[in-house]
Amino acid sequence: MRLAEHVCLAAFTVEERASAEPEREVRQRSTAGRGPSAIPGRGPGDTHLVYDNSKDYRLGRRLPIAQATAAVIAAQQERVRERFPDTPTSKLKLLPSPVANPAGTKPIGSIGEAHRAWVDDLPDIMMPVVVLVDGQLVTKMLPFDKSRIFPYAYRHSFAQRHADSDIAPDVLMDLMDHRELSTTQAYYRVSQERRREAVDRVTALQFDRRGNRVWRKAQWMLDSEHVRRAIGEVATA
């Protein structure tokens, strides 16, 4: 299970508390790659987010989302409406500020501190890590560094999960509302599994001058490369 799935699962299963904004924003950011300014809308045959890309001055953007994500946002909207029944729905904020905000029209400024407290309160998130033990590469389950879990990281998780699912780069660029493909590519890495699959596909079709497949020799070279990469990743981690 990937880190984003661990955190998202925790966000869905954690008990409701008096201030649950961190959990709700985690759910939205990790599954939609967008923060609390986005609201759910419905088009013909689909569910999507309507949001403003204020950074690039592009308003009324639409992002397809899963029904489960829309349900989380709709439930939060209902909580806000119940909390501020006298305020017109169009003026309510999805995550209203808990300070000096009697009508619910003032958005929360930042969830940084609350999110950090929430993450630190989570149980250890164990992840498989390749380490060197007595000169040998060994996979061990080690706790993930929680300092690397912060709100903007969920946008990277959104990109990585789509890239690992073989979503075309131009489609992912559109989902993230980028103008340049190079911007999108900075949000994810090509995993070892995808590198292996790409090389395996080509290598399986290669022959030597005698007409014999070169797969066995190539496989040995690939395994050596995997070891080299793993050692490099451990050294730079």
Side-chain angles (χ1 to χ4, degrees):
M1 182 179 289
R2 296 187 180 277
L3 174 63
E5 293 169 332
H6 277 286
V7 177
C8 195
L9 179 61
F12 272 99
T13 57
V14 71
E15 292 182 359
E16 287 290 332
R17 296 198 289 268
S19 178
E21 279 78 4
E23 294 94 327
R24 290 164 191 155
E25 183 160 356
V26 166
R27 299 175 195 178
Q28 183 168 335
R29 286 184 182 272
S30 59
T31 57
R34 289 285 164 186
S37 61
I39 59 173
R42 292 187 182 276
D46 76 323
T47 305
H48 54 268
L49 286 181
V50 179
Y51 67 94
D52 291 340
N53 183 345
S54 56
K55 181 179 178 180
D56 294 319
Y57 306 104
R58 296 201 292 273
L59 308 181
R61 312 301 290 175
R62 294 176 179 270
L63 173 70
I65 58 174
Q67 292 289 342
T69 303
V72 169
I73 301 171
Q76 172 63 8
Q77 288 179 314
E78 182 61 29
R79 293 187 188 95
V80 174
R81 283 193 290 267
E82 292 176 355
R83 186 174 165 191
F84 304 100
D86 298 328
T87 302
T89 301
S90 61
K91 295 183 178 181
L92 290 174
K93 300 302 180 182
L94 184 63
L95 297 179
S97 172
V99 180
N101 187 30
T105 57
K106 178 182 175 183
I108 191 171
S110 171
I111 69 164
E113 293 184 5
H115 178 270
R116 173 50 47 205
W118 176 74
V119 169
D120 290 343
D121 193 44
L122 291 174
D124 284 340
I125 302 172
M126 307 304 291
M127 303 292 294
V129 179
V130 178
V131 297
L132 282 172
V133 178
D134 297 329
Q136 300 293 324
L137 288 174
V138 179
T139 300
K140 287 191 174 184
M141 299 299 294
L142 299 176
F144 186 80
D145 181 4
K146 293 181 182 178
S147 68
R148 296 172 62 186
I149 304 175
F150 48 91
Y152 199 73
Y154 299 122
R155 186 157 167 79
H156 285 260
S157 296
F158 175 84
Q160 188 67 58
R161 293 168 69 186
H162 282 72
D164 289 344
S165 298
D166 292 329
I167 301 301
D170 59 326
V171 176
L172 181 54
M173 180 182 72
D174 186 68
L175 290 174
M176 299 191 72
D177 202 29
H178 290 153
R179 285 195 172 102
E180 301 292 337
L181 182 59
S182 59
T183 303
T184 305
Q185 291 173 323
Y187 279 78
Y188 67 90
R189 298 179 180 180
V190 179
S191 66
Q192 178 171 308
E193 290 79 6
R194 294 179 67 201
R195 290 196 299 262
R196 175 81 186 224
E197 181 182 2
V199 175
D200 285 356
R201 286 183 180 179
V202 175
T203 306
L205 301 176
Q206 293 180 343
F207 299 84
D208 62 18
R209 62 181 181 177
R210 299 181 180 84
N212 300 316
R213 289 185 182 272
V214 297
W215 169 239
R216 291 189 179 278
K217 181 178 179 181
Q219 186 176 28
W220 176 84
M221 294 173 63
L222 284 171
D223 291 339
S224 298
E225 173 66 6
H226 293 164
V227 171
R228 187 190 69 78
R229 283 185 177 273
I231 294 175
E233 290 171 358
V234 171
T236 58

